[in-house]
Amino acid sequence: MTKRDDPKNSEKQKKEEKTRALGRRDFVKLVGSTTAAISAGVLGSAGVLTEEASASVASAEGIIGPGAVPIVLRINGEKKSLTVEPRVTLLDALRDRLDLTGAKKVCDRGTCGACTVIVNNKAVYSCTTLAIDVAENIGSGADIRTIESLAPEGQLHPVSAAFVDNDAQQCGFCTPGFVMACKAYLDQHPHPTYEEVQHALGGNLCRCGTYMGVRHATVEAANKMRRGA
Amino acid sequence: MADYHWPEAGKRSLIGKRISRLDGPWKASGRVKYSYDVQLPGLLQGKMLCAPYAKATIKSIDTSAAEKMPGVKAVDVIWAAGKEVLWSGQEIAAVAAETEEQARDAVRAIRVEYEPLPHFVSDVEPEKAGADNSKQTAEQTQGDPDAGFKSADVTHEGHYGVPVITHCCLESHGQVTAWDGDHLTVYASTQSVTANVDGFATGLGIPAASVKILTPVMGGGFGSKFPVDTWGLSCARMAKKAGRPVKMMLERDQELMIAGARPSMHARVKIGAKKDGTITAWSSDSWGTGGIRAGGAPTLPYVFRIPVSRTRHTAVLTNIGPIRAWRAPNHPQMAVITMAALDDTAAKLGMDPVQFFLKNIDLTGKLAPVYSAELAKGAELIDWKKKWHPRGDKTPGPIKRGVGVSMHTWGGGGHASNCATTVRPDGSVDVSLASQDLGTGTRTVIAIVAAETLGLPLEAIKVNIGDSSYPPSGGSGGSTTVGGVSSSTRRAATNALNELLEKIAPSLGAKADDLEAVGGRIQVKGNPAKALAWKQACAKLGATPITGQGQTTADIISSGVGGVQMAEVSVDVETGVVKMEKMVAVQDCGLIMDLKTAESQVYGAMIMGVCYALYEEKIMDQQTGRCLNPDMEFYKLAGIGDIGELVVHMMTGAGYDERGPIGLGEPPTVSPGAVISNAVANAIGVRVPELPLTPERVLAALEKGGTA
C-alpha cells in the first residue's frame, strides 16, 4: 500500500520522536537500568495477541507510573487537566476522558489514520501517541488540535465543507481523520496536485471507498483556503 | 389529488439531481456521535475475552480474580463451562470496568481451562478436506452436457477461486447499553434498528416494549451488522448487574476474527464453445468454506444461463469463524468463476471477450438489451477497441497492460417499511421511520422523496430515522432499502398531502382533485395565480396536524438490474505488482433518487472491489487454527493511491426511470474481482487463478505458464 512508503509517515515518526520528552535512546538506556519496561504485542491470558500501549516512561526526575498521574494537555488552545495511567494513549484520553470523539478508534495501531489529530501543526496518529508524552507538565507540552477545533459548532471549516460538497464520506467514520490529515497537509502545501494528494493522504484508510470524493475535496479545499474562504 | 407514481422527467425538482447528503456536515465536522462515541454519566467500558483455540471444550471458567481487579463493576460469562468452542476468537466472557485499560487487565485475569480438540481451518478442495469436513449441498444437470461438450469446437478447462475475506467495518461491532429501571436503551451500531428491538427483547427475556434502539449514524456494516450478537446481550447484562451504562465495542482483532466474513468459493470449470463463439455447455465443480455450517450453493454459471450444464457444489466445513452476508452475497465469487472462465474461453477462441459476451447475450435473459447497451457504453468509456489486444501484452519491457470485462446482476425490490409523514399547522413536516443510514444516503433519499412529493425544498423536511420508536422499517440488506423507504415515504407523504388538499380546497374554490403541491405552494393545477403558500395552507389546519401513513408496495419500485464493468491494469512481470490504471462502471438502478450519492455507492463498490481483487484475504494458521492477520497492517485495504482512475456511468432516462427506484448497494461490488483478474490475464498472458492477485500469485502464474 502507498502508506507504507509514504514520506508523511516517516516525517511523522521523526516528529513523534522529537515531541517525546525523553529521546528514544535515553529511554532504551533507562529500560536497562530501571524497572521501566516496554511491552508491545503481549499475549493475553487467553493467548490471543493483543496490542497494548503499555509503556512505562520515565522522566528526568524519576519514574512515572504505572499508576495514574495528573497531566495537563493543551488541547484546542485550552489547558485540560486529567489523571491517566502512563499507558493511556492520546486517543483514549481525548475520547474517553475529554469527550472529544471526532478522532476515531479503528485499527488502534497506527495503520488507518482514523485517529489523526494535529500536534504542533503536523498530522499525528493519536492511537500511537501516549498522552503523557505530549502533556505540558511532564511531556513535550505540545499544541494539540482535534477536529472539534476547526470550526465552531454549526459551521464548517473549508476542508469539511469540501468533503460535504464532494461527497467524500459515506459512513463517515474515517472522515474526521481524513479531514485532519488533509488540513495539516494543505496548511503546509497550498498548491497540491492530485498526485501529491494521493501521497499525502496515503496514511488514511476508508472502507466505504470514498477516495474519489476525497481527491476532489482536497483540491477544492486547497483552492478555497488559498482564497481565504 | 396526488397519486403515488413518480413524477415524469420534466416535473422532478429534486429526484435524480446531485444532492449533498444531509448528514454530511455532522460527519465532516466530527461532531456526530456514533455508538462508539456515546458518553453517558457513569459509563463503564466493556471488553471481551475470546477463545484462543479453533476447537475446544471449556472445562472451567474462573472469574473470581477478574471480579476483584481495580475498577471492575461486572463480569459476564457468555459461553459457559461444558460448551464447545468452534472457532478461535469465539466469545467466552466479558468485563465492564471504569476504564478500557482496567477492563483489558481484568479480561486477562479470567482463568479458563480448555480441552483443545482437533480443528480444521484449511480452505481446500473437498478431496483434501475429507468426508468429515465436507458436505455436498447441490448437484444439478440441465440438458445433455456430454452432447454439449461433444458438439463444441473448443473446450476450456480452468480453476478459479476467491478466498475468505472479512467485512472490516471501521466502526467495530458493538453498542452502548443503558437501563432505566426495566427499560433498556441501546445505542447500537446496527443495520437493523427495528429488528434489534426483538433481538434484545428475546435475548434478554424482556418485553419488546421495554427496548429502544438508537442508531442516528453508524460506521459501516456491509452486511455484517444485523444481529444483536452475544456481545450486545452481554453488554446489556453487565449494565444491569453494574447498575450503570456499559459500552462494549469489539477490539480490531476481534472485529476481524469473529464479526463477519465472506465465504470462499473455488471451482473447476469446463466450457464448450463453437468456433463462432456460441457456448454449447458448462460444467463446474465448486466448493468453498463458510465456517462450521454448510451454506447455500452458488448459482453457476453467473448471468449467462447456459441451458446445457452440469453443476455440483460442496461445502467445506471449517473452524474459521462465522460468515455473514457480505455485500452481494455469493455474487462476487460467482462472477469471478464465471467471467474468468468465459474470458479464458474467449482467449482460446481468439475472440475479443466483449464480442464473445455479445455473441451469447441472449443467455442473459430479459436484461440482454440492458447489457448490450452497457457493454457499448463501457467500451466507449475505456476505449476498449484501442486497448484490447489478444492475450499477453507483447510490448517490450517488464510493464504489461491489459483490459478486462465482466457483467453482473442483482435483485433489489423493497423491504417492508412503514413511514409516518406529519404536516403541522406551522408548515413544518417530519418524516419518521425506524430505518437507518449506513452511509448509503438513506436519510437523504427519504428527504428527497418527501420534499418532491410535497413540492417543498429539502430543508423543509425533518427526517427522523435511527430510532426504534418510529414506525417499523426493514433492515438494510440486499439493496432493498431505497426501494422500501422510497415507496413508504412516497405513499405517506402523498396521503398527508391529499388530506391537506381536501382541507384547503374550499378556500381555493376548487376541488382537491384539481390541486397540486409545487414550488412551496398549493395551487390549482397549472395556475400559480390561484395558490396558497405552503405555510398559509397549513395554517388552515387549525390546531390539528395531519399524519399520512405509508407502507412499502411493489407498484412504484422494481427489482433486477444489470451492470457492466471494465478495467485496465498494468502489471510488472518482474515484481508481480498489479497497478490499477482505470476502471469503468456502467450501472442501471431504475429511477435514481440522488445522483450524487448513487455515484458514490458505485465508486465505493469499485474501490471495495479493488481491495478484494488485489489485497484482502483472511489468513488462517493451520497449526494453531488462528487468524494470522487480524489487524489492518496485514489485513490489507486499498489506499487512496491504489485505485487508479475510476469512471461511473449511470444508465438513466427512458427505459430505466419508469421502473422506479432500485437499490444500488450490492450490484456494482460484484464485478471488480472478475474485471481485474481478466485484465491481468490479458496483460500477462496467463490466468492468475485465485484472488487476491498478489505479487506472489502473479509471479507463480507466470512461472507456471507465462507467455509474457
Side-chain angles (χ1 to χ4, degrees):
Chain A
M1 322 280 107
T2 48
K3 60 185 183 294
R4 229 172 287 287
D5 44 44
D6 188 343
K8 176 191 150 197
N9 285 340
S10 55
E11 257 175 46
K12 190 181 290 179
Q13 278 165 11
K14 274 185 221 156
K15 182 70 210 167
E16 280 170 14
E17 279 172 35
K18 260 194 211 168
T19 58
R20 280 168 197 273
L22 197 63
R24 183 159 294 186
R25 199 169 297 160
D26 303 328
F27 176 67
V28 171
K29 273 189 225 156
L30 265 166
V31 169
S33 60
T34 73
T35 53
I38 186 160
S39 68
V42 292
L43 213 57
S45 67
V48 175
L49 202 62
T50 55
E51 182 67 19
E52 286 293 320
S54 58
S56 295
V57 176
S59 74
E61 293 79 40
I63 306 299
I64 292 172
V69 291
I71 61 168
V72 179
L73 294 173
R74 187 149 47 95
I75 296 172
N76 301 335
E78 284 178 45
K79 289 187 180 187
K80 299 280 182 186
S81 299
L82 56 162
T83 303
V84 295
E85 291 176 51
R87 60 176 164 167
V88 172
T89 63
L90 176 58
L91 177 65
D92 286 344
L94 294 171
R95 292 179 52 82
D96 291 349
R97 278 82 173 177
L98 298 167
D99 199 17
L100 291 167
T101 54
K104 303 295 184 226
K105 188 190 276 197
V106 175
C107 73
D108 207 17
R109 58 194 287 171
T111 309
C112 76
C115 64
T116 304
V117 298
I118 298 178
V119 176
N120 295 337
N121 301 317
K122 289 269 169 79
V124 161
Y125 291 153
S126 63
C127 76
T128 47
T129 305
L130 291 175
I132 60 165
D133 274 353
V134 286
E136 294 241 304
N137 52 331
I138 48 176
S140 62
D143 176 50
I144 303 156
R145 300 274 161 178
T146 69
I147 190 166
E148 287 85 354
S149 72
L150 292 194
E153 192 150 9
Q155 292 177 37
L156 290 179
H157 183 273
V159 172
S160 301
F163 271 63
V164 175
D165 293 345
N166 290 278
D167 209 31
Q169 48 186 353
Q170 289 188 31
C171 85
F173 212 68
C174 70
T175 307
F178 265 104
V179 167
M180 292 304 274
C182 182
K183 200 244 173 211
Y185 178 71
L186 294 181
D187 282 345
Q188 314 280 335
H189 306 85
H191 299 272
T193 63
Y194 277 107
E195 278 294 303
E196 288 163 351
V197 165
Q198 293 190 174
H199 220 60
L201 300 179
N204 292 68
L205 293 174
C206 168
R207 185 49 158 162
C208 300
T210 58
Y211 299 138
M212 290 296 285
V214 173
R215 284 179 189 167
H216 295 305
T218 307
V219 172
E220 186 184 300
N223 293 336
K224 278 191 193 165
M225 284 164 75
R226 280 202 307 272
R227 291 198 309 266
Chain B
M1 301 287 271
D3 77 6
Y4 300 127
H5 290 94
W6 303 105
E8 295 157 27
K11 294 187 171 172
R12 297 175 202 142
S13 59
L14 294 165
I15 288 175
K17 303 283 189 290
R18 285 178 190 280
I19 293 167
S20 293
R21 63 184 68 230
L22 296 182
D23 48 16
W26 315 342
K27 290 176 174 176
S29 63
R31 299 207 183 256
V32 70
K33 295 285 184 187
Y34 294 77
S35 299
Y36 213 142
D37 301 332
V38 168
Q39 299 291 347
L40 298 171
L43 183 73
L44 299 172
Q45 302 285 346
K47 295 286 171 198
M48 274 200 305
L49 171 69
C50 291
Y53 297 106
K55 199 169 180 190
T57 304
I58 302 174
K59 291 178 76 179
S60 65
I61 302 180
D62 179 2
T63 61
S64 55
E67 278 158 34
K68 293 182 201 114
M69 298 279 289
V72 172
K73 300 293 169 194
V75 178
D76 181 59
V77 172
I78 297 171
W79 208 234
K83 290 191 175 183
E84 207 169 56
V85 169
L86 292 169
W87 57 85
S88 75
Q90 191 168 341
E91 313 86 280
I92 304 296
V95 170
E98 297 283 356
T99 69
E100 287 192 63
E101 296 78 22
Q102 289 171 335
R104 282 200 195 113
D105 287 345
V107 159
R108 282 195 207 97
I110 300 172
R111 295 284 158 243
V112 184
E113 210 184 332
Y114 298 94
E115 186 184 331
L117 300 168
H119 60 254
F120 186 73
V121 295
S122 308
D123 183 11
V124 293
E125 54 265 52
E127 296 79 15
K128 286 187 186 160
D132 288 350
N133 299 315
S134 54
K135 187 181 175 196
Q136 189 179 311
T137 56
E139 185 160 27
Q140 204 183 2
T141 302
Q142 292 185 89
D144 184 348
D146 293 335
F149 283 113
K150 216 170 174 184
S151 70
D153 296 320
V154 166
T155 53
H156 161 72
E157 290 182 62
H159 162 117
Y160 308 91
V162 183
V164 174
I165 66 170
T166 81
H167 295 73
C168 195
C169 305
L170 292 200
E171 181 183 32
S172 58
H173 285 60
Q175 62 293 306
V176 173
T177 52
W179 292 89
D180 181 4
D182 291 332
H183 288 261
L184 174 69
T185 300
V186 185
Y187 304 80
S189 183
T190 182
Q191 293 180 232
S192 192
V193 165
T194 298
N196 265 221
V197 171
D198 194 53
F200 277 98
T202 308
L204 297 168
I206 57 173
S210 303
V211 179
K212 183 172 182 166
I213 308 293
L214 296 173
T215 310
V217 290
M218 57 90 78
F222 314 110
S224 69
K225 284 185 181 166
F226 287 99
V228 300
D229 283 309
T230 59
W231 46 82
L233 301 176
S234 179
C235 189
R237 285 192 298 264
M238 292 195 294
K240 188 83 183 170
K241 246 181 246 179
R244 287 165 64 174
V246 176
K247 179 191 289 184
M248 188 154 73
M249 309 300 293
L250 299 196
E251 306 260 30
R252 181 54 43 186
D253 58 346
Q254 296 170 338
E255 177 73 16
L256 290 177
M257 287 190 295
I258 59 175
R262 185 176 82 175
S264 65
M265 196 186 292
H266 313 266
R268 284 183 287 266
V269 178
K270 186 176 171 188
I271 297 174
K274 297 276 197 192
K275 271 183 197 151
D276 68 356
T278 308
I279 300 170
T280 62
W282 164 283
S283 97
S284 59
D285 196 356
S286 57
W287 67 92
T289 186
I292 51 167
R293 283 181 205 93
T299 312
L300 290 170
Y302 183 58
V303 173
F304 291 89
R305 295 285 172 241
I306 301 168
V308 179
S309 68
R310 181 187 295 124
T311 56
R312 187 170 71 161
H313 185 77
T314 307
V316 175
L317 311 177
T318 57
N319 305 104
I320 59 163
I323 56 156
R324 295 184 180 208
W326 194 104
R327 218 171 168 178
N330 273 349
H331 283 230
Q333 301 97 309
M334 298 191 299
V336 167
I337 289 166
T338 305
M339 300 298 158
L342 291 175
D343 185 68
D344 284 350
T345 307
K348 205 159 183 181
L349 287 163
M351 273 182 95
D352 173 338
V354 173
Q355 295 308 317
F356 181 60
F357 282 7
L358 286 169
K359 177 77 189 171
N360 293 287
I361 204 75
D362 288 345
L363 297 178
T364 63
K366 66 177 185 189
L367 284 172
V370 172
Y371 284 126
S372 298
E374 289 176 341
L375 282 165
K377 189 71 201 174
E380 176 199 322
L381 290 171
I382 206 163
D383 204 0
W384 181 271
K385 280 195 180 128
K386 192 175 145 211
K387 286 179 176 165
W388 182 79
H389 53 71
R391 277 282 163 91
D393 179 3
K394 303 294 186 276
T395 315
I399 307 298
K400 308 296 181 189
R401 292 174 88 100
V403 287
V405 58
S406 170
M407 295 160 51
H408 56 258
T409 186
W410 187 257
H415 62 201
S417 171
N418 292 273
C419 173
T421 296
T422 299
V423 176
R424 296 181 195 279
D426 68 353
S428 62
V429 178
D430 38 73
V431 180
S432 304
L433 49 178
S435 187
Q436 53 280 318
D437 190 334
L438 277 55
T440 52
T442 303
R443 188 188 313 269
T444 313
V445 163
I446 292 166
I448 289 170
V449 171
E452 181 83 59
T453 306
L454 301 173
L456 293 172
L458 209 56
E459 310 79 69
I461 308 295
K462 182 168 186 288
V463 178
N464 298 318
I465 60 169
D467 182 333
S468 63
S469 42
Y470 300 131
S473 204
S476 289
S479 296
T480 60
T481 306
V482 75
V485 302
S486 298
S487 164
S488 65
T489 304
R490 176 72 174 171
R491 296 181 81 87
T494 304
N495 290 343
L497 176 63
N498 284 339
E499 206 177 322
L500 177 67
L501 298 184
E502 289 283 0
K503 291 239 160 93
I504 62 164
S507 54
L508 282 167
K511 288 185 197 149
D513 274 348
D514 298 328
L515 300 179
E516 62 180 353
V518 287
R521 296 181 306 276
I522 304 293
Q523 65 182 33
V524 173
K525 277 180 187 164
N527 185 1
K530 245 185 142 182
L532 278 175
W534 176 261
K535 277 203 164 185
Q536 282 175 292
C538 294
K540 295 196 179 296
L541 292 173
T544 318
I546 289 169
T547 295
Q549 308 282 348
Q551 271 189 323
T552 305
T553 55
D555 54 343
I556 52 171
I557 57 174
S558 294
S559 177
V561 297
V564 163
Q565 294 187 5
M566 296 185 185
E568 183 185 12
V569 301
S570 59
V571 185
D572 186 330
V573 294
E574 290 177 353
T575 62
V577 171
V578 176
K579 180 168 174 258
M580 294 304 302
E581 296 291 342
K582 185 172 180 175
M583 199 161 154
V584 169
V586 184
Q587 185 65 50
D588 68 298
C589 65
L591 178 65
I592 291 176
M593 291 286 138
D594 180 353
L595 186 54
K596 191 182 249 188
T597 53
E599 284 180 352
S600 289
Q601 277 292 291
V602 184
Y603 283 127
M606 292 162 88
I607 292 168
M608 271 189 120
V610 172
C611 292
Y612 75 73
L614 298 183
Y615 308 120
E616 283 181 74
E617 182 171 9
K618 183 179 184 184
I619 301 169
M620 301 301 296
D621 180 39
Q622 317 294 320
Q623 211 60 36
T624 60
R626 292 187 200 166
C627 176
L628 288 172
N629 56 343
D631 56 63
M632 291 177 72
E633 280 164 274
F634 297 106
Y635 188 87
K636 296 182 186 193
L637 301 179
I640 193 170
D642 297 321
I643 58 170
E645 180 193 353
L646 304 180
V647 178
V648 172
H649 178 85
M650 304 303 298
M651 302 297 274
T652 58
Y656 298 99
D657 290 4
E658 57 267 33
R659 301 191 67 198
I662 311 176
L664 190 56
E666 339 270 325
T669 202
V670 175
S671 272
V675 281
I676 295 169
S677 179
N678 288 347
V680 168
N682 184 246
I684 66 173
V686 288
R687 173 67 55 184
V688 183
E690 293 268 342
L691 298 189
L693 306 168
T694 58
E696 184 193 11
R697 289 200 174 99
V698 170
L699 293 177
L702 283 167
E703 178 98 349
K704 202 174 164 194
T707 55

